[in-house]
Amino acid sequence: GLCEGNSVERKIYIPLNRTAPCVRLLNATHQVGCQSSISGDTGVIHVVEKEEDLRWVLTDGPHPPYMILLDGSLFSRRVLLQLKGTSRVSGLAVAAAKPSPPQGFSPGLKCPNDGFGVYSKDYGPQYANCNSTVWNPLGSGLSYEDFDFPIFLLEDANETEVIKQCYQDHNVPRDGAGPEYPLCAMQLFSHMHAVTSTVTCMRRSSIQSTFSLNPEVVCDPLLDYNVWSTLQPINSSGKVDPEKEVIIVATRIDSHSFFWNIAPGAESAVSSFVTHLAAAEALHKASDVQLLRRNVMFTFFQGETFDYIGSSRMVYDMEKDKFPLRLNNIHSFIELNQVALRNNSVLWMHTDPVSRKNESIQGQIESLLEILSNSSAGANVALQEVGYSQPLPPSSFQRFLRAQHIPGVVLTDHRAAFHNRYLSGREATEAEAGGAAEAPAPRGLRACGAAVQGEPRSQHSLAEVATVVARALYQLAGGASNTSAIQADPKTVARMLYGFLIKMNNSWFQSIIKPDLKVILGECDVPQHYVAVSSPVNTTYLVQYVLANLTGTVVNLTKEECLNPEKTPNTEKEMYEYAWVQGSLDPNSTSRVPYCVRSTVRLSKALSPAFELRQWGSTEYSTWTESRWKDIRARIFLVASKELEMITLAVGIVILIFSLLATYFINAKADVLFSLPRDPGAVAY
């Protein structure tokens, strides 16, 4: 009880626990992202809060290489390319920018998913490569550069202050002269196993898997699951009748940023799929939906940020008869794409000018546009057509058009270039979705153990859009009743915005998921929507169970019957999915009241067909992979001068040599030094 212990490592190093690295991604031809050396990269810390501070790092500083602590407002293509071209920089730690840069910041491309949409030299060449419209003018392409040094995001302001204090105490230049040792240094570990391209890394992984008992895979395809459901149940193991028409309403549920798993995507993804979910709920509440002559399929695509992974896979499965629907079953297509209304209440309807040259398609598109416009009557949102000269913006619908001419509309809040100034940027949470992320939780919703009040400001505008979409879908499906009763619920929209943008771990999400999935809610982490390589990701699970909660039915089944519906009579297992969910807390105890939900919500694979076909160099399908790594960590410590290190090494070598010599001589004279004295009482005869 009197003994105490302390780690020498903890006395030397201060670990940085809340960081997000830039990792390596690969496609058919390139590698992008960042990595460290295999043993990590180390450098003396220098704080850069204005561009003039870079001079010390790049030319004046006497102690290279430097590890830069960069103010988030300076995180730009111009600055990073300066650092990329010098050996005086060993790594970069970026402090989060608060408030977000007012001019905007997008590390994505100016022409997202270029080459994988419908427009090419063979189809609308005048629209290919964003020739007529640059959709993301603020795109710097930074996420598609390759850096040979590690770059980390510091997520915790307290850790950033610790680093700055260490810098102030030891590294600040005095009177123009370099600081004296010891100096504060940082070490970043983010060595990546994959190199060159997807073709190279997948070939190496394949060879390892074939000939090695313990294969070392170096990269993994980006993959997950699409979420889909239908208004009227269909047999998931069969095929829909060729004569049955289905309207597809779609959106994406993934996002991306420069740093790994930092992808809030408030406008690029969340505003759209929350609106989509609200529209699905509103339409399901209509009394005669089971009598409509056309079915409606609600589809949520994963991996669309990376060259349309989810939509290209669904089209591939439809073409190969691996999906209940075929392309010929599709009556029309409506996509929600960035619908967080900003400066006004106008929603723009984009159509494909090439397919509209077909008279039959043109007539169907005009009917579709008219129904959408009429559905906005009485709502606080107006729908306007963009016009013939404008191509489709980057959208999942383009992958369907590559396979077949389908009448369709993409709804956005922008007529030409994106209004979103933070596409694929970390600032998406704070700056997007009309302030949805800045507001506290909806009234009465509990998050991380605390009840909070208030409502997101954008809930009403998104609910208006959802109402318009639901009413239009009802009419397109053949509904003849008055649509005024079809109304999206702003409170439901508010709950979803809070759960998907601020805190997943809230009372509503806790109540609608399976007991064994409660771990996906985390503690109080900000939700992220990166597609990743392990599936399903948290976003996919939550969209699946929110959709089931909003459109499904509570059925009177026991836990055993709900978990094994194939053994229970009259459950129609081929037509429905069953889920035993946690339920809400019993007000009189700490236990929950679970129940069984029946819905038509299902998952389908969102893995690029390129990996199914082993065509890793494909130009038809997405080929994005993520490198594997062994260790991701960061730490700071004090480093001594080179002279002191050499003196310490020399003294150590001298002591080692002396020890070896002493050991040798002691061993050589051991019989003399350690011999036993003779017994004086012994007499020899």
Side-chain angles (χ1 to χ4, degrees):
L2 299 177
C3 297
E4 292 184 2
N6 201 347
S7 167
V8 174
E9 183 179 10
R10 287 203 298 267
K11 288 179 175 289
I12 299 174
Y13 300 106
I14 299 177
L16 305 174
N17 298 316
R18 294 202 58 199
T19 61
C22 160
V23 303
R24 175 168 290 166
L25 299 175
L26 309 98
N27 63 12
T29 56
H30 292 81
Q31 64 180 30
V32 301
C34 322
Q35 78 154 356
S36 73
S37 61
I38 194 168
S39 57
D41 288 330
T42 304
V44 174
I45 296 171
H46 189 75
V47 175
V48 175
E49 296 179 329
K50 53 186 184 297
E51 285 202 46
E52 291 76 16
D53 296 337
L54 287 173
R55 182 177 175 182
W56 182 266
V57 173
L58 298 175
T59 57
D60 297 346
H63 304 121
Y66 284 96
M67 192 69 68
I68 297 175
L69 175 57
L70 186 70
D71 187 88
S73 61
L74 296 177
F75 187 69
S76 66
R77 181 182 180 87
R78 185 181 69 258
V79 170
L80 262 66
L81 291 187
Q82 289 184 63
L83 305 180
K84 184 179 179 180
T86 176
S87 60
R88 291 175 60 88
V89 175
S90 60
L92 189 64
V94 183
K98 292 185 178 180
S100 304
Q103 71 277 14
F105 171 72
S106 173
L109 297 171
K110 292 183 182 296
C111 190
N113 290 352
D114 185 26
F116 291 87
V118 69
Y119 302 113
S120 65
K121 61 182 177 61
D122 301 317
Y123 187 99
Q126 67 272 32
Y127 307 122
N129 310 118
C130 294
N131 286 333
S132 63
T133 305
V134 177
W135 296 105
N136 185 30
L138 290 177
S140 64
L142 202 57
S143 290
Y144 298 86
E145 290 286 338
D146 183 39
F147 296 93
D148 59 358
F149 54 80
I151 303 177
F152 277 54
L153 174 70
L154 302 174
E155 298 186 81
D156 189 342
N158 292 329
E159 290 186 343
T160 303
E161 288 304 314
V162 169
I163 299 171
K164 288 183 176 180
Q165 188 60 52
C166 186
Y167 167 79
Q168 291 290 337
D169 293 344
H170 300 279
N171 294 12
V172 174
R174 309 294 180 187
D175 301 321
E180 297 181 358
Y181 286 98
L183 299 174
C184 190
M186 182 184 295
Q187 189 172 29
L188 302 178
F189 297 84
S190 62
H191 181 67
M192 300 288 131
H193 294 175
V195 295
T196 309
S197 67
T198 289
V199 176
T200 301
C201 77
M202 290 299 292
R203 184 180 67 243
R204 290 177 178 175
S205 297
S206 178
I207 293 172
Q208 285 271 343
S209 300
T210 303
F211 297 104
S212 175
L213 294 176
N214 298 300
E216 183 180 342
V217 177
V218 296
C219 68
D220 300 283
L222 296 181
L223 79 160
D224 201 70
Y225 287 90
N226 298 321
V227 182
W228 64 278
S229 74
T230 52
L231 190 63
Q232 301 163 357
I234 62 174
N235 189 335
S236 61
S237 59
K239 292 289 180 289
V240 173
D241 190 293
E243 303 301 317
K244 183 66 174 178
E245 293 182 321
V246 179
I247 302 157
I248 292 183
V249 54
T251 192
R252 56 181 266 200
I253 58 176
D254 68 298
S255 185
H256 175 50
S257 79
F258 186 85
F259 298 101
W260 183 75
N261 205 28
I262 300 294
E267 181 173 353
S268 59
V270 176
S271 67
S272 303
F273 72 70
V274 163
T275 303
H276 190 169
L277 289 165
E281 180 193 33
L283 185 57
H284 269 269
K285 288 181 178 179
S287 58
D288 58 342
V289 291
Q290 299 303 321
L291 304 176
L292 299 176
R293 70 176 185 272
R294 296 190 185 102
N295 205 347
V296 178
M297 187 169 91
F298 305 97
T299 313
F300 301 81
F301 292 121
Q302 262 287 15
E304 296 301 274
T305 306
F306 295 96
D307 300 335
Y308 306 118
I309 293 174
S311 55
S312 63
R313 180 52 187 259
M314 183 170 283
V315 171
Y316 175 82
D317 287 344
M318 287 181 176
E319 291 177 322
K320 302 297 182 183
D321 282 342
K322 297 180 179 181
F323 195 79
L325 269 68
R326 301 177 179 88
L327 289 170
N328 290 333
N329 289 118
I330 301 175
H331 169 267
S332 53
F333 197 106
I334 297 177
E335 180 170 351
L336 301 175
N337 187 339
Q338 297 189 32
V339 294
L341 301 175
R342 286 173 166 270
N343 302 323
N344 50 47
S345 297
V346 176
L347 210 57
W348 295 96
M349 300 182 290
H350 299 260
T351 57
D352 173 38
V354 179
S355 60
R356 292 187 70 168
K357 294 176 182 178
N358 180 302
E359 290 186 8
S360 173
I361 296 294
Q362 167 67 5
Q364 294 176 70
I365 289 177
E366 286 183 349
S367 175
L368 178 57
L369 294 174
E370 182 181 2
I371 289 175
L372 280 165
S373 297
N374 293 340
S375 298
S376 65
N380 292 324
V381 55
L383 273 73
Q384 295 184 19
E385 185 181 354
V386 171
Y388 283 89
S389 61
Q390 181 93 356
L392 287 169
S395 53
S396 306
F397 180 41
Q398 292 200 31
R399 291 302 304 193
F400 285 79
L401 281 177
R402 279 178 77 123
Q404 182 172 302
H405 279 179
I406 298 170
V409 174
V410 177
L411 301 178
T412 73
D413 62 2
H414 56 87
R415 181 173 186 172
F418 298 156
H419 288 168
N420 180 7
R421 302 193 309 277
Y422 303 95
L423 186 72
S424 298
R426 183 191 177 274
E427 294 83 3
T429 293
E430 293 90 0
E432 295 178 358
E438 299 170 7
R443 191 172 301 278
L445 188 67
R446 298 183 66 87
C448 302
V452 284
Q453 305 295 323
E455 293 179 340
R457 298 193 300 272
S458 60
Q459 60 172 344
H460 296 289
S461 63
L462 295 183
E464 291 278 1
V465 176
T467 298
V468 170
V469 172
R471 290 175 179 176
L473 290 172
Y474 177 79
Q475 294 180 57
L476 283 168
S481 302
N482 192 316
T483 60
S484 59
I486 299 177
Q487 186 75 41
D489 185 1
K491 292 183 179 179
T492 301
V493 173
R495 291 199 296 176
M496 289 190 287
L497 286 174
Y498 184 79
F500 285 113
L501 285 176
I502 302 176
K503 293 288 184 290
M504 283 186 172
N505 194 4
N506 60 69
S507 55
W508 184 41
F509 279 9
Q510 291 167 8
S511 68
I512 64 175
I513 62 172
K514 292 181 178 180
D516 58 337
L517 292 178
K518 60 185 178 182
V519 66
I520 70 171
L521 299 178
E523 293 299 327
C524 287
D525 301 328
V526 175
Q528 307 298 339
H529 308 293
Y530 175 59
V531 60
V533 296
S534 58
S535 59
V537 296
N538 298 356
T539 303
T540 301
Y541 273 131
L542 288 171
V543 169
Q544 177 188 6
Y545 285 100
V546 169
L547 184 59
N549 178 267
L550 297 179
T551 64
T553 306
V554 177
V555 290
N556 187 23
L557 295 178
T558 64
K559 181 178 180 180
E560 290 70 24
E561 292 172 335
C562 190
L563 296 176
N564 301 285
E566 67 279 357
K567 299 179 182 179
T568 306
N570 303 320
T571 55
E572 299 180 284
K573 179 67 175 75
E574 296 79 12
M575 309 294 285
Y576 296 99
E577 292 290 319
Y578 291 82
W580 185 258
V581 300
Q582 289 194 121
S584 303
L585 286 170
D586 188 327
N588 299 319
S589 70
T590 57
S591 61
R592 295 185 176 274
V593 183
Y595 56 91
C596 185
V597 175
R598 184 186 72 182
S599 71
T600 61
V601 181
R602 297 183 174 92
L603 301 179
S604 66
K605 192 177 293 185
L607 169 66
S608 172
F611 298 99
E612 195 96 345
L613 301 169
R614 296 176 68 85
Q615 296 176 357
W616 303 320
S618 172
T619 57
E620 170 72 13
Y621 299 112
S622 171
T623 55
W624 284 104
T625 54
E626 180 184 274
S627 174
R628 287 197 177 185
W629 57 80
K630 183 178 181 180
D631 196 15
I632 296 283
R633 58 193 172 99
R635 59 189 184 182
I636 62 172
F637 56 96
L638 294 181
V639 63
S641 67
K642 295 294 182 184
E643 293 78 6
L644 180 58
E645 288 179 348
M646 294 304 297
I647 292 172
T648 304
L649 177 63
V651 171
I653 292 173
V654 169
I655 293 174
L656 174 63
I657 294 173
F658 177 79
S659 301
L660 291 174
L661 291 173
T663 302
Y664 172 78
F665 284 114
I666 290 172
N667 185 61
K669 301 296 182 180
D671 56 335
V672 176
L673 296 173
F674 304 109
S675 61
L676 295 174
R678 301 182 65 180
D679 185 357
V683 179
Y685 292 95

